[in-house]
Amino acid sequence: MFACLFQSQMLLNQLREITGIQDLQVLQSALNVCLVQQHLSMYDEYSILSVKLNNYACLCILVSFTFSDGMKRKRCEGSGESCSPADWIRQEDCPVGIRNVGNTCWFSAVIQSLFHLPVFRRLVLNYCLSERVLEKCKSHSEKRNIAFMQELRCLFALMVGSNRRFVDPSAAVELLRDAFRTSEAQQDVSEFTHKLLDWLEDAFQLAANGNNPEDKQNNPMVQLFYGTFVAERLHEGKIVSNIEQFGQYPLQVNGFNNLDECLEGAMVEGEIESLHSDQTMSSGQERWFSKLPPVLTFELSRFEFNQSLGRPEKIHKKLEFPQVIYMDRYLHKNVDQTHGRRGDVKRLKDQLTVLQQKLEGQTEPDDAGSSDGSGCPQTATQKTPIHKPFTQCRAPMEVPLQPAPHSVTEEELYFVRSCLQRWRAEVENTVNELKASIDKVSQALEGMYSDNSLCQVSYRLHAVLVHEGQASAGHYWAYIYDHANKRWLKYNDVMVTESTWEELVRDSYGGMTNASAYCLMYISDKLPYLIAEDTDDETGQALKGMDSLPSILRRYVREDNRWFQQELREWEEQFCQAQCEEVHTEKPIPEEPQNPEQEPNPEPAQEQTNEVSGEPPTDSTPAFHEEYSRLYELSQEETTPQQDPRLQHVLVYLFQNQAPNRVIERTLLEQFGDRNLSFDDRAVSIMREARSKIRLIKPEDMDMDEYLQWHDDYSMFKTVFAYLLTGLEQYQNGKIREALNYLAHAHQDNSVLLRKGERKGVDQSLIALYRRKCLKELNDNAATLFKSPDANDVAEAVTIMNECIIPCMHLMVRDSVSQEDLDVIELIRSCWCSYLGQDMDDSLQEKLSEFLPRVLDCSAELVVLKEPPKVRKSPHDLCSRLTAVMESIHSTSVITVK
């Protein structure tokens, strides 16, 4: 029960940080709803030391809490991760899902589409570099690419043979994220995807040709995914051509109804120009595929920048695509044949237009020459509109009535009826003939490229990557064809379900909802090796599951499966124990009189002090002793402007702040108890020992509030550093508004830390210095804009004052402000007061009178700072950024960062 209480407290704290919900009762209610799941997560992916909380677990908690009332949703219904780990077991022959570790659904979709291409899966699983090549790999990018490939191999191996229903891609994802200094993954999906493919190409290049980046003929990524096209244009009467390589081929969506139309538009540049601009002249450039890759990927451009709104928007237009596409008409070798067909298509379309116009002329407003039901005739050239709901043959009331005969004889009526019947029959025959001609021309158009001569190069749809949402945010998943079982499967993070072509069409074509395909992956029908499973070299039989893995990866997966089984056993034991404790709580057992002679004499709790030494607990293992000593020595290193040892590890922070030994010891145990660090038998043994020692800690031996507070302080310390470094980077890049916002938050949070101890935060002088620089520059900019004759510039100046400068000034006044800060504040006030004596428009006077009182009086207003975007706080990232930033400003400002 103590372990559950400990984890609940940690989860509450992390949920508050991630979700922004400050009401602990609300978060506690959410945890109570998911109590069973929390028993599990304590033994699954949770690590106290690294202070991580899986975003999906957080989502699961909040969704469960949200639906617990009103909607009566069953707990875990429809969620990716179920309550019991017994339900986390992979079903027989069911593919493995991939956990979403925070805006990584795009990664899952891309990786699943590649993994379920057997030829690519074999390449990754069998990836190997010789010792000679490894010795030559000295650059950071080469080492990073090799590390990424190793993580991808492990991930693929688990997807092949794991007993888990889904696996965790965190290690591979973190390597990708470290290449970008942002946590907003969804805003950079295209960039992340291209980076992923570039790394794979570079890694395979090392395996193919050692360290020769020029020769890529033997690179399997190039051989699989890259083709060439010929670009031809007419220049001074001569055809000029050049050959270019392509990977993911981009296609425009706007202006087209299906994939063939997109390809036609991409092949002939002139047609695209005539569709999307008013220009009558075009370059006439044509593109023809000269070599198609085995895996043909089309990138559908479903996002465009709206110039009027100043933001990207998603194109929701419907676009159809087939399961099998024939590429013959786009090949360079078929230029003459395709040109002839395109001429025929144009002629048939013109003919079709004429026929449709004739048909419309015969049928408007009703069947020409027919009666409207009242016996009044209408000729083919007479297009009198029908005015419903009236059925009489008369004009609208505002039009004067036309002259009419006074009497009609039976003989005359008979003659008119005869004429009308004949006319009607003639018109109907004409309409039928037109419809038949239209059908004939339409069939000719549809079959223009369907004869055998242009149906030789077929590609079959392998995967469809779908985006649901808007340009700024959304969710990604993939439909992938199961070639072995002839079915479509939907891969939605941890959920893998059987699907249908009809469901794929509904989600992928677009036009009806905000979900649509953004990437199509086709594979050649003529190359069976692409989807062929591994076979045994001796017997020729297909290898499945673990048998298809190299021996080293087979051992890795078996170890993970053994650990998973242990997790299941531990969860069952803990769950049964929790149920027993609940029963004992409801029905307490009467206390029996104790025999004083047999009463145990517990050892008194060891008195805890705040004195920290370089020696770990006496009963620690060599691994604990080594890590404890290493970090203690690191904490004794001198802090310089370019480096701060506290950023490298939480224990360094604890050592330097004289944290209690009990806090340091538990933190060390939590580090070794993290199963993500267990890569071999020795590490697993150490992890188990650490976990056993943690379980021996009794509630009376550890003040959990104190423990959590130390880790909260360290998390805030890293946040302050991240805000500070981001602010300095933004300042150097000329983004003064963004820099001021980060620095203001850094100063505010750092003040809270410094009140607890000098070594708990950062020296405020560096933050204050650049906060003043930003304030002065931003105020000068606002003053210049305010005097501009352009109304937009004036509005921008007012916005800068209201959203940036005034809130920051108010915070400075409320804090223990320095004389330098006061001087800047007075400078700003003097600047705007000087406008009072100047002649200006009434509108400017009104705007000035609105914000000037707030500039002068900072006491009567609630200060609300604009929340900065989330920042990355990984120790490696912060350390490298600190060095780079401080070196860049060292010549002008030498300040020791404490």
Side-chain angles (χ1 to χ4, degrees), residues 812-829:
M812 293 169 66
V813 170
R814 295 184 185 187
D815 293 339
S816 54
V817 65
S818 64
Q819 184 59 47
E820 292 86 351
D821 289 343
L822 287 175
D823 292 342
V824 171
I825 292 174
E826 289 304 317
L827 182 67
I828 294 173
R829 288 172 175 171

Side-chain angles (χ1 to χ4, degrees), residues 226-232 241-246 249 267 286-293 296 327-335 457 459:
Y226 286 80
T228 57
F229 65 83
V230 178
E232 294 183 340
S241 65
N242 62 292
I243 299 177
E244 299 181 29
Q245 190 179 58
F246 71 91
Y249 199 85
M267 294 294 102
E286 295 182 346
R287 296 182 180 89
W288 303 90
F289 292 117
S290 55
K291 178 185 176 183
L292 289 172
L296 182 57
M327 297 298 295
D328 305 71
R329 59 198 276 196
Y330 310 111
L331 296 180
H332 189 252
K333 66 180 182 179
N334 296 326
V335 169
V457 184
Y459 275 76

Side-chain angles (χ1 to χ4, degrees), residues 17-146:
E17 178 180 349
I18 290 177
T19 64
I21 299 175
Q22 300 301 316
D23 191 339
L24 291 178
Q25 292 183 349
V26 172
L27 297 177
Q28 184 64 58
S29 300
L31 281 173
N32 292 340
V33 171
C34 295
L35 179 61
V36 178
Q37 182 178 357
Q38 299 318 297
H39 276 291
L40 169 64
S41 62
M42 177 171 57
Y43 296 100
D44 190 29
E45 299 291 335
Y46 193 71
S47 169
I48 301 300
L49 173 68
S50 56
V51 197
K52 294 179 180 178
L53 179 68
N54 183 278
N55 286 348
Y56 199 93
C58 169
L59 177 64
C60 208
I61 293 170
L62 295 180
V63 169
S64 298
F65 174 69
T66 303
F67 286 93
S68 61
D69 297 321
M71 297 184 72
K72 303 298 181 185
R73 179 181 179 182
K74 294 180 181 180
R75 189 185 305 166
C76 298
E77 178 184 339
S79 66
E81 302 178 26
S82 62
C83 298
S84 168
D87 296 330
W88 291 19
I89 300 175
R90 177 183 182 181
Q91 301 299 314
E92 185 177 1
D93 295 332
C94 181
V96 173
I98 299 178
R99 185 197 291 269
N100 189 329
V101 292
N103 290 342
T104 59
C105 47
W106 66 270
F107 181 85
S108 301
V110 173
I111 290 300
Q112 291 282 21
S113 64
L114 294 174
F115 172 82
H116 288 282
L117 195 60
V119 63
F120 182 80
R121 182 168 66 240
R122 285 192 293 271
L123 287 173
V124 172
L125 292 175
N126 296 304
Y127 181 82
C128 183
L129 293 178
S130 65
E131 291 295 331
R132 180 182 60 82
V133 173
L134 287 173
E135 291 175 357
K136 290 183 178 180
C137 296
K138 303 295 184 182
S139 68
H140 170 73
S141 60
E142 289 175 335
K143 293 179 180 178
R144 177 204 59 207
N145 293 344
I146 294 173

Side-chain angles (χ1 to χ4, degrees), residues 734-767:
K735 299 179 179 180
I736 310 301
R737 293 176 65 174
E738 293 84 351
L740 179 60
N741 190 35
Y742 280 109
L743 293 171
H745 277 281
H747 197 283
Q748 188 178 19
D749 292 346
N750 195 49
S751 299
V752 177
L753 287 175
L754 291 179
R755 285 195 287 269
K756 300 179 181 181
E758 181 183 0
R759 300 296 298 164
K760 284 204 167 184
V762 182
D763 184 10
Q764 289 281 57
S765 60
L766 182 63
I767 305 176

Side-chain angles (χ1 to χ4, degrees), residues 570-727:
E570 289 180 353
W571 183 87
E572 291 173 357
E573 294 172 0
Q574 292 296 320
F575 185 71
C576 294
Q577 181 182 354
Q579 288 183 323
C580 293
E581 290 177 353
E582 290 177 3
V583 172
H584 290 315
T585 303
E586 295 174 0
K587 298 180 179 181
I589 301 176
E591 294 185 4
E592 297 182 1
Q594 295 182 346
N595 185 349
E597 296 180 358
Q598 298 178 350
E599 183 177 356
N601 183 21
E603 297 181 2
Q606 196 172 16
E607 184 178 356
Q608 298 288 342
T609 68
N610 284 350
E611 295 183 2
V612 180
S613 66
E615 295 297 327
T618 56
D619 61 343
S620 62
T621 64
F624 299 166
H625 186 284
E626 181 180 347
E627 181 69 358
Y628 186 100
S629 301
R630 182 185 72 84
L631 294 173
Y632 181 80
E633 292 177 2
L634 184 60
S635 70
Q636 304 304 305
E637 292 185 0
E638 181 181 358
T639 300
T640 67
Q642 286 77 24
Q643 64 178 8
D644 190 326
R646 292 174 296 175
L647 290 174
Q648 299 189 31
H649 202 284
V650 62
L651 278 176
V652 177
Y653 183 83
L654 298 179
F655 282 137
Q656 291 197 4
N657 284 283
Q658 299 294 309
N661 284 332
R662 56 181 174 271
V663 174
I664 293 175
E665 292 169 8
R666 182 173 190 114
T667 301
L668 183 65
L669 290 174
E670 294 290 354
Q671 169 182 335
F672 285 101
D674 183 2
R675 86 167 184 86
N676 290 320
L677 303 178
S678 305
F679 301 114
D680 51 29
D681 293 340
R682 178 175 177 270
V684 170
S685 175
I686 295 173
M687 175 201 67
R688 291 172 178 168
E689 182 175 349
R691 288 192 171 189
S692 65
K693 289 181 179 294
I694 292 174
R695 296 192 187 100
L696 294 177
I697 300 177
K698 300 177 181 178
E700 58 269 20
D701 297 335
M702 172 65 69
D703 183 350
M704 288 308 302
D705 290 337
E706 177 189 37
Y707 180 84
L708 296 175
Q709 187 58 56
W710 277 100
H711 285 275
D712 287 347
D713 290 346
Y714 184 63
S715 178
M716 182 177 286
F717 167 76
K718 291 194 297 181
T719 300
V720 168
F721 240 114
Y723 285 161
L724 168 61
L725 295 177
T726 307

Side-chain angles (χ1 to χ4, degrees), residues 96 98 105-121 156 159 193 196-197 200 225 248 295 297 461-466 477-481 483 488-489 491 518-523 530-531:
V96 173
I98 299 178
C105 47
W106 66 270
F107 181 85
S108 301
V110 173
I111 290 300
Q112 291 282 21
S113 64
L114 294 174
F115 172 82
H116 288 282
L117 195 60
V119 63
F120 182 80
R121 182 168 66 240
F156 272 29
M159 293 170 70
T193 304
L196 166 65
L197 298 177
L200 290 173
F225 297 98
Q248 298 184 72
V295 182
T297 305
L461 189 61
H462 165 68
V464 179
L465 277 61
V466 180
W477 68 85
Y479 288 99
I480 303 173
Y481 191 66
H483 302 276
W488 283 99
L489 295 176
Y491 293 81
Y518 73 95
C519 184
L520 306 175
M521 187 179 293
Y522 284 86
I523 59 175
L530 296 175
I531 57 175

Side-chain angles (χ1 to χ4, degrees), residues 143-177:
K143 293 179 180 178
R144 177 204 59 207
N145 293 344
I146 294 173
F148 179 77
M149 281 300 301
Q150 295 304 326
E151 293 297 344
L152 194 61
R153 288 187 73 207
C154 293
L155 183 63
F156 272 29
L158 290 176
M159 293 170 70
V160 168
S162 177
N163 292 334
R164 303 175 187 269
R165 192 161 62 88
F166 51 87
V167 293
D168 192 326
S170 297
V173 170
E174 283 304 314
L175 285 172
L176 268 176
R177 281 177 167 168

Side-chain angles (χ1 to χ4, degrees), residues 352-586:
L352 185 63
T353 301
V354 173
L355 291 172
Q356 288 173 337
Q357 290 175 347
K358 288 182 178 180
L359 180 62
E360 292 172 0
Q362 289 288 329
T363 58
E364 290 183 2
D366 199 352
D367 284 344
S370 65
S371 170
D372 64 358
S374 62
C376 299
Q378 295 178 344
T379 65
T381 59
Q382 190 178 7
K383 297 186 178 180
T384 306
I386 299 175
H387 300 277
K388 298 180 179 179
F390 304 105
T391 58
Q392 292 81 7
C393 182
R394 59 186 176 86
M397 293 300 295
E398 63 272 13
V399 179
L401 294 175
Q402 301 295 325
H406 297 283
S407 62
V408 179
T409 66
E410 289 294 331
E411 184 179 357
E412 290 172 332
L413 285 176
Y414 175 78
F415 178 74
V416 170
R417 289 193 186 100
S418 299
C419 291
L420 289 176
Q421 290 174 358
R422 180 172 60 82
W423 294 343
R424 181 186 182 94
E426 290 176 356
V427 170
E428 288 179 346
N429 289 336
T430 302
V431 169
N432 291 334
E433 290 174 359
L434 288 172
K435 288 182 177 179
S437 298
I438 289 174
D439 290 341
K440 184 178 180 180
V441 173
S442 299
Q443 291 175 6
L445 280 171
E446 292 177 0
M448 185 59 65
Y449 298 100
S450 298
D451 60 276
N452 289 335
S453 62
L454 291 179
C455 293
Q456 299 298 312
V457 184
S458 60
Y459 275 76
R460 186 169 300 275
L461 189 61
H462 165 68
V464 179
L465 277 61
V466 180
H467 174 269
E468 180 180 34
Q470 302 301 325
S472 58
H475 180 58
Y476 297 84
W477 68 85
Y479 288 99
I480 303 173
Y481 191 66
D482 181 0
H483 302 276
N485 298 301
K486 309 298 181 184
R487 59 178 180 173
W488 283 99
L489 295 176
K490 181 179 180 180
Y491 293 81
N492 191 353
D493 288 336
V494 300
M495 300 292 291
V496 180
T497 55
E498 188 168 350
S499 185
T500 62
W501 174 251
E502 289 70 27
E503 181 184 357
L504 185 154
V505 166
R506 185 177 66 249
D507 286 348
S508 306
Y509 276 8
M512 298 297 293
T513 66
N514 59 357
S516 55
Y518 73 95
C519 184
L520 306 175
M521 187 179 293
Y522 284 86
I523 59 175
S524 174
D525 252 352
K526 305 294 184 181
L527 302 174
Y529 76 90
L530 296 175
I531 57 175
E533 297 295 338
D534 291 328
T535 56
D536 186 270
D537 294 335
E538 297 180 359
T539 64
Q541 294 181 343
L543 298 176
K544 294 185 178 181
M546 298 281 281
D547 294 335
S548 64
L549 297 177
S551 58
I552 187 171
L553 291 178
R554 198 178 307 146
R555 290 194 297 270
Y556 169 77
V557 175
R558 284 173 178 166
E559 179 59 33
D560 184 80
N561 287 338
R562 282 196 294 269
W563 172 241
F564 182 48
Q565 292 300 319
Q566 181 179 341
E567 285 180 335
L568 296 178
R569 289 192 297 270
E570 289 180 353
W571 183 87
E572 291 173 357
E573 294 172 0
Q574 292 296 320
F575 185 71
C576 294
Q577 181 182 354
Q579 288 183 323
C580 293
E581 290 177 353
E582 290 177 3
V583 172
H584 290 315
T585 303
E586 295 174 0

